[in-house]
């Protein structure tokens, strides 16, 4: 073992290079190109900003470690992201080794903005290299850049890169070999940056641009023409609504085939086990507990992937900031900052990253309101619940050839979440007192085609997160629920299925007293309890509960027909309304406690969401009962 | 040249019009919790005196928010932010 130690030491001295650049310069694409799958994603200590590190080997055989720093417009930091970037570059973070060299990534089509940061960083006196990224787009547009002259003006090596093309990083690798970073150079104090005013820096940028670039043949890009429609005061919002509508339609219509395949697969496994295993407790655990529970959650993987496919495509091509622009009036109208859009949008995936992303909002009151309404955005964990009930109760009917009734109901549920979030924000703002205006300052980057590789990586990441949850949290809870639902067994001469007499059954029947007025029977009440750990567990729990409730010989692992038989439409609609608000998510509440550093806000959140959920379900149930006779 | 339009602020510029940045007013005194020097930030985003800008789009109703092009970049901002930027329309 002793012989290995010197090697470890030399590995620790692998040169560390940091990628630094403006947002939207293609820095992360370049990082992915350099490191491939060899990435470690973690958080910087004490903050929830992602720290991405990876490694690669140059053509000369030298290994490098590479750090993808958060995008920054300036090193005189305004946001927590920029503060991290500043501190890492200047070697001020105790937990982070100072980089041996800095690779400044710039967008070749937008040097006027990007070069200012390069000039700022240069004042720190670190070994530097300029990666002129997206140079293919610049060439196509007819922007001529004299790289030799640029290198001379900036007094640093300049290489051309195309991060989205295989081999587009070659020039950078060769330049890093030639540079051979290794000797640590200590950065000059940060005060060096402010020694020159922003105006003077911009004058220098203009001088360099005049000397090195020519826009004489610049054909411009399509972005402005597209924006003419996308940001149009009337057409823009219509397009946004149509786009969102299309997404929810696709979630249902595209997912049908893969979902049937998963159901059939789980059924086949269940039957095979039933046929080959002796009847008894263990078989019940595997077939009813594990397959019945986990299988009913697993089936929603295609729908989640389709939803994220659209979110990732819209993000990659540059549409999302436009959506923020279009919705800004609405956000401002209820007193939210424009910056609240991104945390709220992340909450469609899960409220937890959304609540953590609220850290980018500087005003504490504003941040608090954003945190409080984030769980009202329909997170992907609710999708299985919605999809299950919609598939069971809403007929799959075309309304006019294009619009399906199921997609429409899903769209309405998402909209109900957004609408109630806006209403709650408005009330919070009123009760918390007057408030000054909040800045927006959001870049609308150029449009570009989404990159398949990034898209595939993003979807893979999502599938992994979902399957890990199914395999860990959900599986554990299902096994636990099976035990609670199976013991104690049914007494002699029992008229109900065994689960009715079990611990879970007793709990469900006790809760039924509270939930009967909104139409929930004891089976649903049992499912609500493990649903507090993660919302989609409720679906798995229903799977287990109903699998165990069946008395017949044949055992269906697919849940949809069972609930279609045993619930009334009013109960189904009531449960949908419940999940629009659905206060029961322990991890969200604990993150709120951590982020606000008090018990007060998670309690308020749980209280107001429970009240809203109960009220909405009560109204839905009663109106449905009345309307349906 | 003597007929050059008078200096105004960016929030009054109509969609499609161009202008040159003249000056950035220091941000009005904000509550202690804002913590951002908005003028400094606007400069870092490229709204530096001498730069040419163009109003691309204005939202409805009330012309808020604004989409402004500076150099090659488009930024979305609210009216009160734009009001900090003095411009000379072309």
């Amino acid at each position: 073992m002793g012989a290995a130690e010197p090697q470890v030491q030399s590995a620790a001295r692998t040169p560390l290079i940091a990628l630094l650049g403006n947002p939207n310069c293609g820095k992360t694409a370049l990082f992915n190109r350099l490191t491939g799958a060899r990435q470690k994603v973690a958080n910087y200590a004490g903050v929830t900003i992602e720290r991405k590190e990876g490694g690669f080997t140059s053509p000369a055989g030298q290994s490098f470690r590479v750090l993808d720093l958060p995008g920054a417009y300036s090193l005189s930091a305004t946001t927590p992201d920029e503060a991290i970037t500043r501190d890492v570059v200047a070697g001020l973070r105790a937990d982070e080794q100072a980089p041996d060299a800095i690779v400044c990534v710039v967008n070749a089509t937008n040097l006027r903005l990007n070069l200012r940061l390069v000039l700022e960083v240069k004042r720190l006196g670190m070994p530097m290299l300029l990666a002129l990224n997206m140079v293919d787009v610049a060439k196509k547009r007819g922007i001529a850049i004299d790289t030799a002259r640029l290198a001379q003006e900036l007094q640093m090596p300049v290489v051309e890169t195309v991060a989205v093309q295989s081999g587009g990083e070659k020039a950078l690798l060769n330049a890093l070999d030639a540079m051979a970073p290794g000797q640590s150079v200590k950065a000059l104090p940060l005060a060096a940056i402010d020694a020159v005013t922003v105006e003077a820096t911009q004058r220098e940028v203009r001088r360099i641009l005049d000397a090195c670039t020519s826009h004489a043949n610049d054909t411009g890009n399509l972005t402005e023409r597209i924006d003419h429609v996308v940001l149009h005061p009337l057409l823009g919002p219509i397009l946004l609504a149509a786009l969102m509508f299309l997404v929810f339609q696709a979630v249902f219509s595209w997912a049908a085939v893969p979902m049937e395949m998963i159901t059939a697969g789980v059924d086949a496994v269940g039957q095979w086990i039933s046929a080959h295993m002796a009847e008894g407790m263990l078989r019940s655990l595997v077939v009813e507990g594990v397959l019945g529970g986990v299988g009913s959650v697993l089936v929603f993987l295609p729908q989640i992937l389709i939803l994220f496919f659209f979110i990732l495509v819209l993000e990659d091509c540059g549409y999302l900031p436009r959506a923020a622009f279009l919705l800004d009036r609405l956000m401002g109208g209820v007193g939210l900052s424009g910056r609240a859009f991104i945390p709220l949008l992340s909450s469609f995936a899960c409220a937890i990253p959304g609540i953590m992303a609220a850290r980018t909002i500087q005003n504490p009151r504003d941040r608090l309101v954003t945190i409080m309404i984030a769980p009202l955005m329909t997170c992907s964990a609710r999708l299985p619940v919605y999809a299950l009930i919609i598939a069971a109760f809403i007929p799959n009917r075309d309304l006019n050839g294009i619009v399906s009734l199921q997609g429409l109901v899903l769209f309405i549920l998402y909209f109900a979440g957004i609408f109630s979030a806006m209403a709650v924000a408005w009330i919070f703002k009123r009760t918390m007192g007057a408030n000054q205006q909040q800045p927006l300052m959001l870049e609308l980057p150029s449009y570009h085609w989404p990159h398949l590789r990034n898209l595939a990586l993003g979807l893979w990441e999502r599938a992994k997160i979902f399957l890990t949850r199914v395999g860990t949290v959900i599986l554990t809870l299902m096994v636990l629920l099976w035990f609670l639902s199976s013991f104690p067994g049914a007494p002699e001469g029992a008229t109900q299925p065994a689960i009715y007499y079990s611990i879970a059954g007793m709990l469900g029947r006790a809760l039924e007293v509270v939930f009967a007025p909104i139409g929930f029977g004891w089976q649903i009440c049992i499912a609500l309890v493990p649903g507090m750990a993660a919302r989609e567990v409720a679906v798995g729990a229903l799977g287990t509960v109903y699998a165990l409730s069946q008395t017949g010989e044949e055992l269906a692992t697919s849940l949809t027909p069972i609930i279609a038989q045993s619930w009334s439409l009013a109960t189904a609609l009531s449960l949908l309304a419940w999940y629009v608000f659905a206060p029961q998510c322990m991890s969200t509440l604990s993150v709120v406690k951590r982020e606000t550093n008090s018990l007060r806000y998670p309690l308020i959140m749980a209280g107001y969401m429970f009240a809203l959920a109960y009220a909405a379900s009560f109204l839905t149930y009663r109106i449905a009962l009345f309307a349906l006779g | 040249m003597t007929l050059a339009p008078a200096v105004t602020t960016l929030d009054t510029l109509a969609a499609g019009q161009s202008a040159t940045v003249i000056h950035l007013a220091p941000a009005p005194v904000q509550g202690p919790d804002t913590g951002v020097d908005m003028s400094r930030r606007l400069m870092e985003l490229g709204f530096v005196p001498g730069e040419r800008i163009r109003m691309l789009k204005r939202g409805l109703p009330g012309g808020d928010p604004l989409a402004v092009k500076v150099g090659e970049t488009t930024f979305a901002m609210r009216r009160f932010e734009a009001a900090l930027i003095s411009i000379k329309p072309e």
Side-chain angles (χ1 to χ4, degrees), chain A residues 76 78 82 110 116 206 224 328 436 440-442 444, chain B residues 34 40-41 44 51 54 64 69 73-74 76 78 81:
Chain A
S76 55
T78 328
E82 288 184 339
N110 196 356
R116 212 167 35 238
R206 270 178 233 151
E224 234 174 273
D328 186 64
Q436 68 266 38
L440 177 60
M441 297 192 207
L442 184 70
L444 306 177
Chain B
T34 318
R40 161 107 206 195
R41 187 63 179 170
E44 284 163 3
E51 289 290 295
R54 195 150 59 85
D64 204 11
K69 187 154 188 171
T73 327
T74 309
R78 289 179 171 172
E81 298 170 78

PDB file of all heavy atoms in Angstrom, chain A residues 76 78 82 110 116 206 224 328 436 440-442 444, chain B residues 34 40-41 44 51 54 64 69 73-74 76 78 81:
ATOM      1  N   SER A  76     -17.259  41.651 -10.042  1.00  0.00           N
ATOM      2  CA  SER A  76     -17.746  42.395  -8.870  1.00  0.00           C
ATOM      3  C   SER A  76     -19.160  41.887  -8.635  1.00  0.00           C
ATOM      4  O   SER A  76     -20.128  42.395  -9.152  1.00  0.00           O
ATOM      5  CB  SER A  76     -17.738  43.885  -9.133  1.00  0.00           C
ATOM      6  OG  SER A  76     -18.472  44.176 -10.279  1.00  0.00           O
ATOM      7  N   THR A  78     -22.800  40.325  -7.997  1.00  0.00           N
ATOM      8  CA  THR A  78     -24.120  40.755  -7.537  1.00  0.00           C
ATOM      9  C   THR A  78     -24.920  39.579  -7.011  1.00  0.00           C
ATOM     10  O   THR A  78     -25.692  39.719  -6.077  1.00  0.00           O
ATOM     11  CB  THR A  78     -24.913  41.389  -8.694  1.00  0.00           C
ATOM     12  OG1 THR A  78     -24.012  42.028  -9.561  1.00  0.00           O
ATOM     13  CG2 THR A  78     -25.916  42.365  -8.180  1.00  0.00           C
ATOM     14  N   GLU A  82     -22.258  34.519  -8.782  1.00  0.00           N
ATOM     15  CA  GLU A  82     -21.086  35.289  -9.181  1.00  0.00           C
ATOM     16  C   GLU A  82     -20.071  35.378  -8.047  1.00  0.00           C
ATOM     17  O   GLU A  82     -18.872  35.417  -8.290  1.00  0.00           O
ATOM     18  CB  GLU A  82     -21.505  36.692  -9.625  1.00  0.00           C
ATOM     19  CG  GLU A  82     -22.209  36.671 -10.964  1.00  0.00           C
ATOM     20  CD  GLU A  82     -22.544  38.061 -11.483  1.00  0.00           C
ATOM     21  OE1 GLU A  82     -22.603  39.005 -10.673  1.00  0.00           O
ATOM     22  OE2 GLU A  82     -22.736  38.191 -12.679  1.00  0.00           O
ATOM     23  N   ASN A 110     -20.665  37.412 -29.721  1.00  0.00           N
ATOM     24  CA  ASN A 110     -21.040  38.468 -28.787  1.00  0.00           C
ATOM     25  C   ASN A 110     -19.848  38.930 -27.953  1.00  0.00           C
ATOM     26  O   ASN A 110     -19.882  38.975 -26.736  1.00  0.00           O
ATOM     27  CB  ASN A 110     -22.167  37.968 -27.874  1.00  0.00           C
ATOM     28  CG  ASN A 110     -22.857  39.097 -27.158  1.00  0.00           C
ATOM     29  OD1 ASN A 110     -22.448  40.252 -27.277  1.00  0.00           O
ATOM     30  ND2 ASN A 110     -23.883  38.776 -26.412  1.00  0.00           N
ATOM     31  N   ARG A 116     -15.489  42.049 -21.771  1.00  0.00           N
ATOM     32  CA  ARG A 116     -15.327  42.862 -20.562  1.00  0.00           C
ATOM     33  C   ARG A 116     -14.939  41.988 -19.371  1.00  0.00           C
ATOM     34  O   ARG A 116     -14.053  42.339 -18.598  1.00  0.00           O
ATOM     35  CB  ARG A 116     -16.608  43.639 -20.278  1.00  0.00           C
ATOM     36  CG  ARG A 116     -16.359  44.968 -19.623  1.00  0.00           C
ATOM     37  CD  ARG A 116     -17.583  45.857 -19.621  1.00  0.00           C
ATOM     38  NE  ARG A 116     -18.790  45.091 -19.454  1.00  0.00           N
ATOM     39  CZ  ARG A 116     -19.789  45.102 -20.319  1.00  0.00           C
ATOM     40  NH1 ARG A 116     -19.735  45.844 -21.399  1.00  0.00           N
ATOM     41  NH2 ARG A 116     -20.862  44.372 -20.106  1.00  0.00           N
ATOM     42  N   ARG A 206     -14.081  48.172 -27.001  1.00  0.00           N
ATOM     43  CA  ARG A 206     -14.390  48.744 -28.311  1.00  0.00           C
ATOM     44  C   ARG A 206     -13.148  48.850 -29.173  1.00  0.00           C
ATOM     45  O   ARG A 206     -13.171  48.531 -30.354  1.00  0.00           O
ATOM     46  CB  ARG A 206     -14.996  50.146 -28.140  1.00  0.00           C
ATOM     47  CG  ARG A 206     -16.505  50.120 -28.025  1.00  0.00           C
ATOM     48  CD  ARG A 206     -17.043  51.521 -27.821  1.00  0.00           C
ATOM     49  NE  ARG A 206     -17.905  51.545 -26.647  1.00  0.00           N
ATOM     50  CZ  ARG A 206     -18.101  52.607 -25.877  1.00  0.00           C
ATOM     51  NH1 ARG A 206     -17.465  53.741 -26.126  1.00  0.00           N
ATOM     52  NH2 ARG A 206     -18.905  52.544 -24.851  1.00  0.00           N
ATOM     53  N   GLU A 224     -33.816  37.984 -33.965  1.00  0.00           N
ATOM     54  CA  GLU A 224     -34.682  39.152 -33.865  1.00  0.00           C
ATOM     55  C   GLU A 224     -35.997  38.941 -34.591  1.00  0.00           C
ATOM     56  O   GLU A 224     -37.051  39.348 -34.122  1.00  0.00           O
ATOM     57  CB  GLU A 224     -33.961  40.363 -34.435  1.00  0.00           C
ATOM     58  CG  GLU A 224     -33.930  41.506 -33.465  1.00  0.00           C
ATOM     59  CD  GLU A 224     -33.087  42.636 -33.990  1.00  0.00           C
ATOM     60  OE1 GLU A 224     -31.860  42.622 -33.770  1.00  0.00           O
ATOM     61  OE2 GLU A 224     -33.656  43.509 -34.646  1.00  0.00           O
ATOM     62  N   ASP A 328     -43.879  38.276 -17.186  1.00  0.00           N
ATOM     63  CA  ASP A 328     -43.382  39.224 -16.184  1.00  0.00           C
ATOM     64  C   ASP A 328     -44.468  40.143 -15.642  1.00  0.00           C
ATOM     65  O   ASP A 328     -44.481  40.463 -14.459  1.00  0.00           O
ATOM     66  CB  ASP A 328     -42.236  40.051 -16.756  1.00  0.00           C
ATOM     67  CG  ASP A 328     -41.605  40.928 -15.702  1.00  0.00           C
ATOM     68  OD1 ASP A 328     -41.042  40.354 -14.748  1.00  0.00           O
ATOM     69  OD2 ASP A 328     -41.698  42.154 -15.798  1.00  0.00           O
ATOM     70  N   GLN A 436     -40.996  47.592  -2.478  1.00  0.00           N
ATOM     71  CA  GLN A 436     -40.540  48.364  -3.634  1.00  0.00           C
ATOM     72  C   GLN A 436     -40.404  47.469  -4.848  1.00  0.00           C
ATOM     73  O   GLN A 436     -40.504  46.259  -4.744  1.00  0.00           O
ATOM     74  CB  GLN A 436     -39.208  49.062  -3.327  1.00  0.00           C
ATOM     75  CG  GLN A 436     -38.051  48.116  -3.166  1.00  0.00           C
ATOM     76  CD  GLN A 436     -37.825  47.754  -1.721  1.00  0.00           C
ATOM     77  OE1 GLN A 436     -38.762  47.591  -0.961  1.00  0.00           O
ATOM     78  NE2 GLN A 436     -36.584  47.621  -1.349  1.00  0.00           N
ATOM     79  N   LEU A 440     -35.551  43.121 -12.983  1.00  0.00           N
ATOM     80  CA  LEU A 440     -35.674  41.903 -13.786  1.00  0.00           C
ATOM     81  C   LEU A 440     -34.322  41.524 -14.373  1.00  0.00           C
ATOM     82  O   LEU A 440     -33.743  40.496 -14.026  1.00  0.00           O
ATOM     83  CB  LEU A 440     -36.720  42.130 -14.883  1.00  0.00           C
ATOM     84  CG  LEU A 440     -36.971  41.014 -15.879  1.00  0.00           C
ATOM     85  CD1 LEU A 440     -37.455  39.754 -15.192  1.00  0.00           C
ATOM     86  CD2 LEU A 440     -38.008  41.456 -16.906  1.00  0.00           C
ATOM     87  N   MET A 441     -33.773  42.382 -15.236  1.00  0.00           N
ATOM     88  CA  MET A 441     -32.439  42.209 -15.831  1.00  0.00           C
ATOM     89  C   MET A 441     -32.146  40.776 -16.237  1.00  0.00           C
ATOM     90  O   MET A 441     -31.347  40.081 -15.642  1.00  0.00           O
ATOM     91  CB  MET A 441     -31.351  42.672 -14.860  1.00  0.00           C
ATOM     92  CG  MET A 441     -31.421  44.132 -14.535  1.00  0.00           C
ATOM     93  SD  MET A 441     -29.939  44.669 -13.697  1.00  0.00           S
ATOM     94  CE  MET A 441     -30.560  46.041 -12.753  1.00  0.00           C
ATOM     95  N   LEU A 442     -32.797  40.349 -17.270  1.00  0.00           N
ATOM     96  CA  LEU A 442     -32.699  38.964 -17.713  1.00  0.00           C
ATOM     97  C   LEU A 442     -32.221  38.951 -19.157  1.00  0.00           C
ATOM     98  O   LEU A 442     -32.772  39.657 -19.990  1.00  0.00           O
ATOM     99  CB  LEU A 442     -34.091  38.332 -17.602  1.00  0.00           C
ATOM    100  CG  LEU A 442     -34.249  36.874 -17.919  1.00  0.00           C
ATOM    101  CD1 LEU A 442     -33.587  36.038 -16.834  1.00  0.00           C
ATOM    102  CD2 LEU A 442     -35.725  36.530 -18.015  1.00  0.00           C
ATOM    103  N   LEU A 444     -31.911  37.632 -22.870  1.00  0.00           N
ATOM    104  CA  LEU A 444     -32.652  36.798 -23.810  1.00  0.00           C
ATOM    105  C   LEU A 444     -31.652  36.306 -24.857  1.00  0.00           C
ATOM    106  O   LEU A 444     -31.350  37.020 -25.801  1.00  0.00           O
ATOM    107  CB  LEU A 444     -33.777  37.601 -24.480  1.00  0.00           C
ATOM    108  CG  LEU A 444     -34.765  38.311 -23.546  1.00  0.00           C
ATOM    109  CD1 LEU A 444     -35.779  39.118 -24.341  1.00  0.00           C
ATOM    110  CD2 LEU A 444     -35.495  37.319 -22.658  1.00  0.00           C
TER     111      LEU A 444
ATOM    112  N   THR B  34     -32.429  45.353  -0.461  1.00  0.00           N
ATOM    113  CA  THR B  34     -32.262  45.103  -1.887  1.00  0.00           C
ATOM    114  C   THR B  34     -30.842  44.639  -2.185  1.00  0.00           C
ATOM    115  O   THR B  34     -30.623  43.642  -2.864  1.00  0.00           O
ATOM    116  CB  THR B  34     -32.584  46.349  -2.711  1.00  0.00           C
ATOM    117  OG1 THR B  34     -33.728  46.934  -2.158  1.00  0.00           O
ATOM    118  CG2 THR B  34     -32.814  45.989  -4.144  1.00  0.00           C
ATOM    119  N   ARG B  40     -24.762  50.079 -11.442  1.00  0.00           N
ATOM    120  CA  ARG B  40     -23.520  49.355 -11.659  1.00  0.00           C
ATOM    121  C   ARG B  40     -23.807  48.060 -12.432  1.00  0.00           C
ATOM    122  O   ARG B  40     -23.094  47.708 -13.369  1.00  0.00           O
ATOM    123  CB  ARG B  40     -22.904  49.044 -10.295  1.00  0.00           C
ATOM    124  CG  ARG B  40     -21.892  47.963 -10.281  1.00  0.00           C
ATOM    125  CD  ARG B  40     -20.512  48.535 -10.110  1.00  0.00           C
ATOM    126  NE  ARG B  40     -19.526  47.654 -10.689  1.00  0.00           N
ATOM    127  CZ  ARG B  40     -18.243  47.746 -10.439  1.00  0.00           C
ATOM    128  NH1 ARG B  40     -17.807  48.696  -9.648  1.00  0.00           N
ATOM    129  NH2 ARG B  40     -17.398  46.937 -10.992  1.00  0.00           N
ATOM    130  N   ARG B  41     -24.870  47.380 -12.034  1.00  0.00           N
ATOM    131  CA  ARG B  41     -25.247  46.137 -12.676  1.00  0.00           C
ATOM    132  C   ARG B  41     -25.588  46.363 -14.149  1.00  0.00           C
ATOM    133  O   ARG B  41     -25.162  45.619 -15.018  1.00  0.00           O
ATOM    134  CB  ARG B  41     -26.466  45.557 -11.941  1.00  0.00           C
ATOM    135  CG  ARG B  41     -26.865  44.193 -12.407  1.00  0.00           C
ATOM    136  CD  ARG B  41     -25.775  43.224 -12.136  1.00  0.00           C
ATOM    137  NE  ARG B  41     -26.131  41.873 -12.545  1.00  0.00           N
ATOM    138  CZ  ARG B  41     -25.267  40.880 -12.587  1.00  0.00           C
ATOM    139  NH1 ARG B  41     -24.005  41.100 -12.273  1.00  0.00           N
ATOM    140  NH2 ARG B  41     -25.641  39.684 -12.935  1.00  0.00           N
ATOM    141  N   GLU B  44     -22.541  46.680 -16.089  1.00  0.00           N
ATOM    142  CA  GLU B  44     -21.871  45.401 -16.293  1.00  0.00           C
ATOM    143  C   GLU B  44     -22.554  44.572 -17.371  1.00  0.00           C
ATOM    144  O   GLU B  44     -21.930  43.723 -17.991  1.00  0.00           O
ATOM    145  CB  GLU B  44     -21.826  44.614 -14.980  1.00  0.00           C
ATOM    146  CG  GLU B  44     -20.788  45.152 -14.026  1.00  0.00           C
ATOM    147  CD  GLU B  44     -21.006  44.666 -12.615  1.00  0.00           C
ATOM    148  OE1 GLU B  44     -21.930  43.875 -12.383  1.00  0.00           O
ATOM    149  OE2 GLU B  44     -20.253  45.094 -11.740  1.00  0.00           O
ATOM    150  N   GLU B  51     -22.615  53.391 -25.765  1.00  0.00           N
ATOM    151  CA  GLU B  51     -23.092  52.193 -26.471  1.00  0.00           C
ATOM    152  C   GLU B  51     -24.423  52.487 -27.165  1.00  0.00           C
ATOM    153  O   GLU B  51     -25.261  53.216 -26.643  1.00  0.00           O
ATOM    154  CB  GLU B  51     -23.287  51.034 -25.488  1.00  0.00           C
ATOM    155  CG  GLU B  51     -21.997  50.449 -24.948  1.00  0.00           C
ATOM    156  CD  GLU B  51     -21.209  49.680 -25.998  1.00  0.00           C
ATOM    157  OE1 GLU B  51     -21.702  48.654 -26.469  1.00  0.00           O
ATOM    158  OE2 GLU B  51     -20.102  50.137 -26.352  1.00  0.00           O
ATOM    159  N   ARG B  54     -31.182  49.519 -28.803  1.00  0.00           N
ATOM    160  CA  ARG B  54     -32.407  49.565 -29.594  1.00  0.00           C
ATOM    161  C   ARG B  54     -33.520  48.893 -28.806  1.00  0.00           C
ATOM    162  O   ARG B  54     -33.308  47.854 -28.186  1.00  0.00           O
ATOM    163  CB  ARG B  54     -32.203  48.843 -30.917  1.00  0.00           C
ATOM    164  CG  ARG B  54     -33.281  49.148 -31.956  1.00  0.00           C
ATOM    165  CD  ARG B  54     -32.724  49.068 -33.366  1.00  0.00           C
ATOM    166  NE  ARG B  54     -32.182  47.734 -33.617  1.00  0.00           N
ATOM    167  CZ  ARG B  54     -32.929  46.717 -34.014  1.00  0.00           C
ATOM    168  NH1 ARG B  54     -34.229  46.881 -34.180  1.00  0.00           N
ATOM    169  NH2 ARG B  54     -32.399  45.539 -34.230  1.00  0.00           N
ATOM    170  N   ASP B  64     -44.691  47.323 -20.394  1.00  0.00           N
ATOM    171  CA  ASP B  64     -43.800  46.741 -19.409  1.00  0.00           C
ATOM    172  C   ASP B  64     -43.933  45.224 -19.495  1.00  0.00           C
ATOM    173  O   ASP B  64     -45.058  44.727 -19.587  1.00  0.00           O
ATOM    174  CB  ASP B  64     -44.241  47.220 -18.014  1.00  0.00           C
ATOM    175  CG  ASP B  64     -43.121  47.187 -17.011  1.00  0.00           C
ATOM    176  OD1 ASP B  64     -41.974  46.994 -17.426  1.00  0.00           O
ATOM    177  OD2 ASP B  64     -43.403  47.353 -15.822  1.00  0.00           O
ATOM    178  N   LYS B  69     -32.019  45.784 -26.925  1.00  0.00           N
ATOM    179  CA  LYS B  69     -30.809  45.206 -27.487  1.00  0.00           C
ATOM    180  C   LYS B  69     -29.650  46.165 -27.251  1.00  0.00           C
ATOM    181  O   LYS B  69     -29.726  47.344 -27.581  1.00  0.00           O
ATOM    182  CB  LYS B  69     -31.003  44.969 -28.985  1.00  0.00           C
ATOM    183  CG  LYS B  69     -29.855  44.211 -29.582  1.00  0.00           C
ATOM    184  CD  LYS B  69     -30.299  43.447 -30.814  1.00  0.00           C
ATOM    185  CE  LYS B  69     -29.175  42.533 -31.270  1.00  0.00           C
ATOM    186  NZ  LYS B  69     -29.599  41.628 -32.323  1.00  0.00           N
ATOM    187  N   THR B  73     -26.517  41.731 -27.588  1.00  0.00           N
ATOM    188  CA  THR B  73     -27.271  41.029 -26.563  1.00  0.00           C
ATOM    189  C   THR B  73     -28.628  41.668 -26.345  1.00  0.00           C
ATOM    190  O   THR B  73     -28.750  42.889 -26.390  1.00  0.00           O
ATOM    191  CB  THR B  73     -26.509  41.087 -25.224  1.00  0.00           C
ATOM    192  OG1 THR B  73     -25.132  41.072 -25.502  1.00  0.00           O
ATOM    193  CG2 THR B  73     -26.875  39.916 -24.346  1.00  0.00           C
ATOM    194  N   THR B  74     -29.630  40.843 -26.066  1.00  0.00           N
ATOM    195  CA  THR B  74     -30.949  41.361 -25.728  1.00  0.00           C
ATOM    196  C   THR B  74     -31.213  41.120 -24.248  1.00  0.00           C
ATOM    197  O   THR B  74     -30.972  40.017 -23.745  1.00  0.00           O
ATOM    198  CB  THR B  74     -32.029  40.659 -26.562  1.00  0.00           C
ATOM    199  OG1 THR B  74     -31.654  40.730 -27.928  1.00  0.00           O
ATOM    200  CG2 THR B  74     -33.371  41.329 -26.371  1.00  0.00           C
ATOM    201  N   ALA B  76     -34.112  41.653 -21.033  1.00  0.00           N
ATOM    202  CA  ALA B  76     -35.442  42.029 -20.610  1.00  0.00           C
ATOM    203  C   ALA B  76     -35.289  42.824 -19.323  1.00  0.00           C
ATOM    204  O   ALA B  76     -34.480  42.473 -18.468  1.00  0.00           O
ATOM    205  CB  ALA B  76     -36.284  40.780 -20.370  1.00  0.00           C
ATOM    206  N   ARG B  78     -37.513  45.795 -16.467  1.00  0.00           N
ATOM    207  CA  ARG B  78     -38.758  46.488 -16.144  1.00  0.00           C
ATOM    208  C   ARG B  78     -38.563  47.984 -16.346  1.00  0.00           C
ATOM    209  O   ARG B  78     -37.442  48.475 -16.389  1.00  0.00           O
ATOM    210  CB  ARG B  78     -39.171  46.161 -14.708  1.00  0.00           C
ATOM    211  CG  ARG B  78     -39.651  44.714 -14.594  1.00  0.00           C
ATOM    212  CD  ARG B  78     -40.048  44.342 -13.186  1.00  0.00           C
ATOM    213  NE  ARG B  78     -40.695  43.013 -13.170  1.00  0.00           N
ATOM    214  CZ  ARG B  78     -41.017  42.365 -12.059  1.00  0.00           C
ATOM    215  NH1 ARG B  78     -40.775  42.904 -10.879  1.00  0.00           N
ATOM    216  NH2 ARG B  78     -41.595  41.184 -12.116  1.00  0.00           N
ATOM    217  N   GLU B  81     -36.287  50.130 -14.133  1.00  0.00           N
ATOM    218  CA  GLU B  81     -34.852  49.939 -14.360  1.00  0.00           C
ATOM    219  C   GLU B  81     -34.399  50.785 -15.541  1.00  0.00           C
ATOM    220  O   GLU B  81     -33.356  51.438 -15.501  1.00  0.00           O
ATOM    221  CB  GLU B  81     -34.548  48.466 -14.656  1.00  0.00           C
ATOM    222  CG  GLU B  81     -34.891  47.516 -13.528  1.00  0.00           C
ATOM    223  CD  GLU B  81     -34.801  46.068 -13.994  1.00  0.00           C
ATOM    224  OE1 GLU B  81     -33.676  45.576 -14.092  1.00  0.00           O
ATOM    225  OE2 GLU B  81     -35.849  45.454 -14.256  1.00  0.00           O
TER     226      GLU B  81
END
